[in-house]
Amino acid sequence: MRILHLEPYNYSKEKLSSLRKDCFLQEENFKIQEELQLHLKNYQYDVIFTRLGLSLDKQILSLQRELKYVVTPTTGLNHIDLNYCNDNKIKVVSLKGEIEFLTTVKSTAEHTWALLLTLIRNIPVAFQQVKNDIWERHQLMADELDGKTIGIIGYGRLGKIIARYAKAFDMSVLVNDTREIEDEVKEGEKNVSLEVLLRNSDIICLMITYEERNINFLDYSKIQMMKDQVILINTSRGEMVNEDALIQALKSKKISGVATDVLKNDSIWNGKLPIVPEIIKYAKKNDNVIITPHMGGYGKVSIKKTRDFITDKFLNQIEK
């Protein structure tokens, strides 16, 4: 079995050795999509271990006549053409649905909370002033989480962790999910309709999964339901928020601040922005937006756990 590995630098020597045991392992670190495409025109593989930053779309996958597995250490799968894989009997091995294991992976939840604290405490602006030799706090009056209401949209693994963090900060917690979650909601949390959550939350945390039905989930109408001066945190996927509606709400002060780790189509960006999204253009001129480059899950412990797990999951499948 021939394996192309596109992220060997984030896998332990032990796990790479386990892949080499009975397979031919080709390790590559392509920087751009065109490099991957050229390589796959010339070489055939049974398995591709992929990563965010490279897209396995129909054009790429159709070059591989013998491909049987695509392996990705992610829950989100919008960097892979799932319809093509399904039609061509290519099995996608991922972390999606691995609920028990994923409860031990907390990097994205920690990053979500870091974004929130960084935004409301004006930390980037404050540090920039200090670097410019300015020691002045009067324009840096911060908001506080104590007593605020946080609305968590998506009460899955990450949503539950964020709810715990919020209660530790003495916040009121509203949660919403498309699933029936009444039996999962803990003390100090309240399961409410989406409209109630939007109308009553001071801070809204978007934690929903990537699905086509969730594209532009937060649109003009939902944003208008929100409280004035609400804060929005997004560590789900950029496609879940209508960017035009978001910018309009920022300009009108309907939304007072945004912190996001994700932007539309960023799962296939690698190294340099192919275009400059309007939200980044806005952020360059305004201090109420914080954007990080889809790094929520990029914690040392979580990277090791997820890469070890996905390797073992793949090996267990081919041994059956």
Side-chain angles (χ1 to χ4, degrees):
M1 185 171 285
R2 295 176 57 86
I3 300 174
L4 173 62
H5 207 304
L6 302 177
E7 197 189 31
Y9 48 85
N10 274 332
Y11 285 71
S12 67
K13 292 181 179 179
E14 176 191 358
K15 294 305 174 184
L16 292 174
S17 294
S18 66
L19 291 173
R20 291 192 193 94
K21 185 176 179 182
D22 297 310
C23 304
F24 171 81
L25 181 66
Q26 179 74 32
E27 300 176 24
E28 297 288 350
N29 182 19
F30 298 120
K31 300 296 185 184
I32 58 174
Q33 190 76 9
E34 289 74 17
E35 289 179 347
L36 173 62
Q37 184 170 344
L38 180 61
H39 184 82
L40 293 181
K41 281 183 179 178
N42 296 316
Y43 300 95
Q44 293 294 314
Y45 297 94
D46 302 289
V47 184
I48 298 176
F49 273 69
T50 193
R51 60 172 175 80
L52 293 180
L54 293 171
S55 174
L56 294 186
D57 55 21
K58 180 178 180 180
Q59 184 179 11
I60 290 285
L61 291 170
S62 63
L63 299 172
Q64 293 295 293
R65 298 180 299 276
E66 305 299 326
L67 192 63
K68 301 177 181 65
Y69 293 92
V70 169
V71 185
T72 179
T74 62
T75 54
L77 302 173
N78 52 321
H79 56 303
I80 300 168
D81 189 327
L82 298 179
N83 290 328
Y84 183 90
C85 288
N86 184 60
D87 292 343
N88 291 274
K89 296 182 172 54
I90 300 170
K91 187 157 188 178
V92 177
V93 182
S94 74
L95 299 180
K96 190 174 180 64
E98 298 290 350
I99 298 172
E100 183 177 354
F101 165 71
L102 289 170
T103 58
T104 70
V105 181
K106 300 177 181 177
S107 180
T108 300
E110 291 186 8
H111 190 73
T112 302
W113 207 253
L115 285 174
L116 174 55
L117 287 172
T118 300
L119 182 65
I120 68 162
R121 301 301 306 190
N122 299 314
I123 291 173
V125 178
F127 186 39
Q128 187 60 49
Q129 288 187 7
V130 172
K131 288 194 290 184
N132 291 331
D133 303 324
I134 300 171
W135 195 266
E136 198 278 326
R137 67 182 65 86
H138 298 298
Q139 301 301 316
L140 298 172
M141 186 73 73
D143 210 334
E144 299 177 43
L145 296 181
D146 182 26
K148 293 286 195 300
T149 296
I150 188 170
I152 302 168
I153 304 176
Y155 192 69
R157 167 186 61 107
L158 294 173
K160 290 180 173 68
I161 297 172
I162 294 300
R164 295 205 306 270
Y165 293 172
K167 287 184 287 186
F169 278 73
D170 293 324
M171 302 179 73
S172 297
V173 180
L174 304 179
V175 299
N176 173 267
D177 200 285
T178 54
R179 302 177 298 110
E180 176 53 56
I181 59 172
E182 197 60 48
D183 293 340
E184 302 174 29
V185 174
K186 304 293 191 298
E187 183 179 353
E189 305 166 9
K190 189 174 182 181
N191 180 23
V192 298
S193 69
L194 181 60
E195 182 174 349
V196 168
L197 184 149
L198 294 173
R199 293 191 185 281
N200 292 278
S201 299
D202 302 299
I203 297 157
I204 292 175
C205 192
L206 190 61
M207 312 295 291
I208 59 178
T209 57
Y210 180 89
E211 298 178 31
E212 284 196 16
R213 63 177 180 171
N214 286 337
I215 293 175
N216 289 324
F217 174 84
L218 282 186
D219 53 15
Y220 289 93
S221 61
K222 290 189 181 74
I223 288 174
Q224 286 308 306
M225 291 182 194
M226 297 177 185
K227 292 176 69 172
D228 290 342
Q229 299 291 296
V230 69
I231 288 172
L232 175 64
I233 311 295
N234 182 16
T235 50
S236 58
R237 283 292 188 273
E239 290 82 357
M240 308 299 95
V241 179
N242 183 303
E243 187 179 277
D244 292 337
L246 177 62
I247 293 173
Q248 180 178 305
L250 283 164
K251 289 179 176 178
S252 70
K253 308 301 183 185
K254 178 71 175 180
I255 294 177
S256 66
V258 170
T260 181
D261 186 46
V262 288
L263 296 176
K264 184 179 179 181
N265 295 324
D266 74 2
S267 292
I268 59 173
W269 295 347
N270 189 45
K272 190 175 173 102
L273 293 172
I275 58 168
V276 180
E278 291 302 314
I279 189 65
I280 292 182
K281 293 178 183 178
Y282 175 90
K284 289 179 179 180
K285 299 178 180 179
N286 297 272
D287 296 328
N288 60 340
V289 175
I290 295 174
I291 303 170
T292 53
H294 207 145
M295 57 186 281
Y298 220 66
K300 292 179 181 178
V301 173
S302 293
I303 286 290
K304 184 177 188 314
K305 281 184 178 180
T306 53
R307 274 58 179 176
D308 285 358
F309 183 91
I310 204 67
T311 302
D312 291 340
K313 181 176 180 179
F314 165 70
L315 289 171
N316 287 337
Q317 293 202 16
I318 65 172
E319 289 171 0
K320 289 181 179 178

